[in-house]
Amino acid sequence: MPDPVSFGPDLADVFGPSQTDGGPDLVQLLTPEGERVHHPEFDHDFSAEELRGLYRDMVLTRRIDVEATALQRHGELGIWAQLLGQEAAQIGAGRALRPQDYVFPTYREHGVAYCKGVDPLRLLGLFRGVDQGGWDPNENNFGLYTIVIGAQTLHATGYAMGMQRDGVVGTGDPDRDSAVIAHFGDGASSQGDVNEAFIFAASYNAPVVFFCQNNQWAISEPIERQTRIPLYQRALGFGFPGIRVDGNDVLATYAVTKAALQRAREGNGPSFVEAYTYRMGAHTTTDDPTRYRLNDELEHWKLKDPIERLKVYLRRNGLVDQEFFDDLDAEAKELGHHLREGCKALPDPKPLDQFGYVFSEMTDEIAAQRDEFAAYLASFEGSHS
Amino acid sequence: MSTQKITLAKGLNMGLRKAMEDDDKVLLMGEDVGKLGGVFRITDGLQKDFGEDRVIDSPLAESGIVGTAVGMALRGYRPVVEIQFDGFVYPAYDQIVCQVAKYTYRSQGKVKMPIVIRIPFGGGIGAVEHHSESPEAQFAHTPGLKVVACSNPVDGYWMIQQAIAHDDPVIFLEPKRQYHADKAELDESATPEPLFTSRVVRPGSDATVLAYGPTVKTALKCAEAAESEGRSLEVIDLRTLSPLDMAPVYESVRRTGRCVVTHEAHVNLGMGAELAARVTEQCFYSLEAPVLRVGAFDTPYPPSRIEEEYLPDLDRVLDAVDRTFTF
């Protein structure tokens, strides 16, 4: 009997059981204990102001999430997709963007939206049911939330191909050179569209960064159900670099995303960033994670909290004083108030609004249905006097 | 006035060329559309003249083709996507019905989605499975998509340009078995009829036959045959399936009192069902007989050796017309 053909190491040896430290290739600049460490390729000299800014962004982003979750519990939102624990991944990526860069989000990118200048109140409309994403994508270069998993990675790739044709890639002018970032989760990595996006982006050398927040769980399906190798290693098979960054380390996420975006802007094509993180909350407010994961796992990841580790670093190095925290606390309270009051004041659409915007111009067919429905509604007027 | 005789394939090719000349934001995307000129040669010569950045040979991934076109449209381009054959559109179905069709609605009109998705559709070419289907009802049933079907070379030339210039997504159906069949006289200086309108292509007084795409030719043959039997059929080429242009249809049926719809797609829940319902609602007191439908059976497309027995042909349509006179 011939020897079995070897294709290399057993996959279990490569991937092993579920990891929580991200493995040896994880890029990290700030440890969970708040120690600054250095990386030969992705280091960055952060000013005290930058560090305070990143901390502030994460705190405010968490506040958005906490307020929205509470609003859902109070019945003001139908559902909310929580980001608790993923603040560093989103703020790091969001702050690495330039104004001309374009974001294609999934439905959990509240921190990136905040970085792009979208009023957090606007994010609530979709979840409250008053609109389907009320912001103008071109106003902040922040696309509409996309519910179908992974569909937006293709939109991102096409948009990036458009940038190539517009001559805003590789010009050497930092105000002109542009890139696209596509956000998605570990579950989306199994979707055909995401894999097709990788193929298109590689084939056309499109200026797009695929930014995967691997938060370990796709609703109740663990990462082991999506892949047998570390996700970032897939990129090589598509012909572009992949890198795994500590997604709970805002400094590393910022530095790695910045490098990936710069690579794209300069015309060197796509790359894949796997932000290795953890969803500390539920998938959405309808979910019950206690049915599928152990509390120990959550407790372990709480020790890696992205906000706490930067707080420790700032304090230890004397970069903040009590006034900074007091001011930030006041700002967070104000933001919470804005969301609570603003959410309740979001106007409900009118019954006839549903006929608008099916097309860029209303068709006679839809206008006839609208008019008929308007007459029907009008027939009730005065009947409850 | 300069005119020339052209095929449907030539009309579409000329129309695409004109659209690309008129607007440099127009891009063609699809499998084999570049060097090969498409498997039906509809895009022949366009990559040579407009370059690889505007006539884009795509990887073999339909969802990818349509999904990247969405991104292109968001960036301000006007992508014209070629799906190689009707049965291959399904891998792109999600992108078409969930993204292309919904983006304008989701953005409350802030974003336009001027994408044309060209689909060679229908049977009769002796092909293997998935190459002869008629998926129009699936798209006409989706709010946010407009669906049109050309039936002749002159319409092919004008309608493709109008679809590309239109700001909403258009599913553009091309009857593939007529690409290289009949020639017609094209006058490029003429003023075309608006895109979303139906047209009486043969006037008549005894019964109305509704058709689109490949069955327009069948319906016209029926009208010829019926005439020799002393019966006058009015044939209407619907041209647009969503939105439907029903005014000429109602006017015709109120006059003739009889209506037969024919299409290559399955009868169950197809365009014929919608047309029959609308005609019945609006022309009830004028009808001498129920609206009859002649289409394909509710089976998968059969092996091509028996497709002649599956597709609505002259005899089956004439038989339906005869039946409307028995009530």
Side-chain angles (χ1 to χ4, degrees):
Chain A
M1 199 169 147
D3 290 337
V5 177
S6 171
F7 288 99
D10 190 285
L11 286 171
D13 296 338
V14 176
F15 193 41
S18 183
Q19 299 165 333
T20 52
D21 64 357
D25 295 334
L26 188 81
V27 177
Q28 192 176 66
L29 298 181
L30 188 66
T31 70
E33 294 76 31
E35 299 282 349
R36 185 78 164 84
V37 289
H38 296 280
H39 190 277
E41 195 179 348
F42 294 103
D43 224 343
H44 180 83
D45 188 17
F46 292 93
S47 69
E49 194 182 343
E50 277 181 307
L51 293 169
R52 283 193 292 266
L54 292 169
Y55 179 79
R56 171 181 169 271
D57 291 339
M58 288 197 291
V59 168
L60 294 181
T61 295
R62 182 165 291 185
R63 185 62 174 235
I64 294 166
D65 192 57
V66 167
E67 290 292 345
T69 304
L71 282 164
Q72 193 280 332
R73 300 298 184 220
H74 287 122
E76 298 293 340
L77 302 179
I79 191 173
W80 176 250
Q82 298 161 278
L83 65 65
L84 186 67
Q86 297 177 227
E87 295 86 353
Q90 296 200 11
I91 297 303
R95 285 294 173 219
L97 294 161
R98 289 185 186 155
Q100 70 267 31
D101 297 332
Y102 208 103
V103 177
F104 282 87
T106 178
Y107 45 75
R108 202 191 295 280
E109 264 63 68
H110 320 312
V112 188
Y114 159 85
C115 289
K116 268 296 194 183
V118 177
D119 182 345
L121 185 59
R122 304 305 297 271
L123 304 175
L124 302 186
L126 176 73
F127 299 98
R128 186 171 169 82
V130 302
D131 59 42
Q132 288 165 332
W135 58 90
D136 181 347
N138 294 324
E139 203 169 287
N140 303 86
N141 283 3
F142 185 81
L144 296 174
Y145 275 1
T146 307
I147 307 290
V148 177
I149 302 296
Q152 75 283 0
T153 57
L154 281 169
H155 309 164
T157 303
Y159 195 93
M161 290 165 66
M163 283 176 166
Q164 285 176 318
R165 280 154 183 77
D166 288 343
V168 295
V169 181
T171 69
D173 177 355
D175 294 330
R176 189 168 163 78
D177 282 345
S178 310
V180 177
I181 190 164
H183 291 269
F184 56 102
D186 40 298
S189 71
S190 297
Q191 288 278 347
D193 275 3
V194 173
N195 288 272
E196 291 188 24
F198 288 175
I199 289 165
F200 275 67
S203 176
Y204 299 118
N205 206 41
V208 56
V209 174
F210 295 106
F211 190 93
C212 176
Q213 288 164 80
N214 174 2
N215 69 14
Q216 314 298 327
W217 291 92
I219 308 188
S220 71
E221 307 281 2
I223 182 66
E224 291 82 358
R225 186 59 69 217
Q226 316 298 336
T227 184
R228 286 191 66 189
I229 63 164
L231 281 181
Y232 73 99
Q233 291 183 3
R234 283 195 186 166
L236 192 60
F238 289 93
F240 51 86
I243 188 154
R244 175 178 275 183
V245 62
D246 184 342
N248 284 22
D249 172 358
V250 71
L251 307 189
T253 310
Y254 173 86
V256 166
T257 312
K258 189 165 180 270
L261 286 165
Q262 190 55 25
R263 176 190 150 81
R265 290 187 203 109
E266 287 171 359
N268 295 315
S271 55
F272 178 88
V273 176
E274 179 191 358
Y276 199 79
T277 183
Y278 190 74
R279 187 191 81 208
M280 291 208 281
H283 164 68
T284 70
T285 46
T286 63
D287 179 28
D288 176 10
T290 65
R291 292 174 74 107
Y292 55 82
R293 70 186 187 192
L294 297 171
N295 198 46
D296 279 0
E297 184 181 289
L298 177 60
E299 292 303 319
H300 181 86
W301 277 91
K302 277 184 183 171
L303 299 173
K304 296 169 178 287
D305 188 294
I307 296 181
E308 286 306 313
R309 73 173 73 174
L310 185 53
K311 189 177 189 177
V312 169
Y313 179 77
L314 289 169
R315 276 191 188 281
R316 193 179 290 153
N317 291 277
L319 300 172
V320 286
D321 53 20
Q322 192 54 42
E323 192 186 353
F324 170 79
F325 290 112
D326 292 344
D327 288 350
L328 182 55
D329 193 38
E331 194 177 2
K333 278 184 180 145
E334 181 57 35
L335 177 61
H337 180 76
H338 170 64
L339 285 170
R340 285 192 302 276
E341 297 309 308
C343 179
K344 291 169 197 165
L346 284 172
D348 281 348
K350 303 275 187 296
L352 296 184
D353 288 350
Q354 62 192 304
F355 297 98
Y357 308 121
V358 180
F359 295 108
S360 58
E361 283 181 35
M362 184 165 284
T363 62
D364 292 345
E365 285 187 326
I366 295 172
Q369 290 184 12
R370 178 200 56 191
D371 294 347
E372 197 176 319
F373 190 53
Y376 171 76
L377 292 177
S379 72
F380 294 102
E381 278 174 18
S383 64
H384 299 294
S385 58
Chain B
M1 187 179 88
S2 71
T3 62
Q4 56 179 311
K5 291 202 85 158
I6 57 164
T7 59
L8 175 61
K10 181 71 178 166
L12 290 164
N13 180 271
M14 290 171 66
L16 288 167
R17 175 178 292 278
K18 185 74 170 43
M20 295 187 80
E21 284 167 356
D22 289 350
D23 184 350
D24 63 9
K25 292 291 183 188
V26 175
L27 303 170
L28 309 189
M29 304 169 69
E31 296 160 12
D32 306 305
V33 297
K35 285 199 174 64
L36 182 67
V39 291
F40 291 106
R41 309 292 185 267
I42 306 304
T43 55
D44 193 26
L46 297 177
Q47 190 184 61
K48 185 172 145 286
D49 295 339
F50 293 97
E52 292 182 11
D53 269 358
R54 293 191 64 195
V55 182
I56 305 169
D57 272 322
S58 305
L60 260 74
E62 283 77 10
S63 190
I65 293 167
V66 175
T68 51
V70 170
M72 288 279 203
L74 290 169
R75 183 70 192 179
Y77 287 87
R78 305 184 85 86
V80 182
V81 164
E82 178 175 299
I83 299 293
Q84 204 156 66
F85 284 89
D86 33 58
F88 304 164
V89 74
Y90 301 114
Y93 192 69
D94 168 64
Q95 283 288 344
I96 295 173
V97 303
C98 294
Q99 306 299 327
V100 174
K102 304 284 198 298
Y103 227 104
T104 297
Y105 196 70
R106 280 161 60 202
S107 72
Q108 294 182 306
K110 296 180 183 86
V111 169
K112 291 176 180 172
M113 201 45 44
I115 295 179
V116 175
I117 299 173
R118 295 180 38 239
I119 307 178
F121 86 124
I125 61 163
V128 295
E129 61 175 351
H130 312 306
H131 289 69
S132 304
E133 302 188 4
S134 300
E136 59 268 26
Q138 321 217 24
F139 298 111
H141 191 64
T142 302
L145 297 177
K146 292 179 177 172
V147 184
V148 302
C150 60
S151 68
N152 64 75
V154 176
D155 269 356
Y157 174 76
W158 292 116
M159 286 172 70
I160 191 65
Q161 292 180 66
Q162 293 168 321
I164 293 168
H166 190 69
D167 278 339
D168 292 317
V170 178
I171 305 290
F172 194 92
L173 300 166
E174 302 167 3
K176 68 169 84 76
R177 75 161 175 265
Q178 282 166 25
Y179 273 145
H180 304 285
D182 308 317
K183 286 192 173 183
E185 197 87 26
L186 171 71
D187 173 8
E188 288 176 79
S189 64
T191 304
E193 292 176 61
L195 179 59
F196 302 108
T197 55
S198 55
R199 181 169 61 218
V200 176
V201 288
R202 181 185 170 110
S205 54
D206 296 336
T208 304
V209 180
L210 306 179
Y212 56 87
T215 57
V216 173
K217 187 172 175 179
T218 312
L220 287 169
K221 280 187 187 166
C222 289
E224 264 177 48
E227 190 175 29
S228 65
E229 295 169 5
R231 215 166 250 168
S232 166
L233 304 187
E234 179 148 302
V235 178
I236 296 181
D237 180 354
L238 290 167
R239 298 171 79 242
T240 175
L241 309 182
S242 182
L244 279 163
D245 176 28
M246 295 302 288
V249 176
Y250 297 150
E251 191 280 323
S252 175
V253 176
R254 285 185 187 121
R255 200 160 25 76
T256 64
R258 293 178 171 81
C259 182
V260 172
V261 189
T262 179
H263 53 56
E264 286 196 5
H266 317 291
V267 165
N268 189 43
L269 298 169
M271 289 304 302
E274 179 64 29
L275 289 157
R278 292 200 196 197
V279 168
T280 305
E281 277 184 21
Q282 295 297 320
C283 308
F284 186 71
Y285 293 107
S286 306
L287 283 170
E288 304 288 343
V291 181
L292 297 184
R293 295 168 290 165
V294 185
F297 308 114
D298 293 316
T299 66
Y301 201 89
S304 60
R305 291 288 181 130
I306 53 168
E307 67 182 338
E308 294 296 319
E309 315 301 327
Y310 172 84
L311 296 168
D313 62 3
L314 183 146
D315 289 336
R316 281 174 59 206
V317 180
L318 272 181
D319 179 63
V321 170
D322 287 345
R323 276 188 285 135
T324 66
F325 283 91
T326 63
F327 287 89

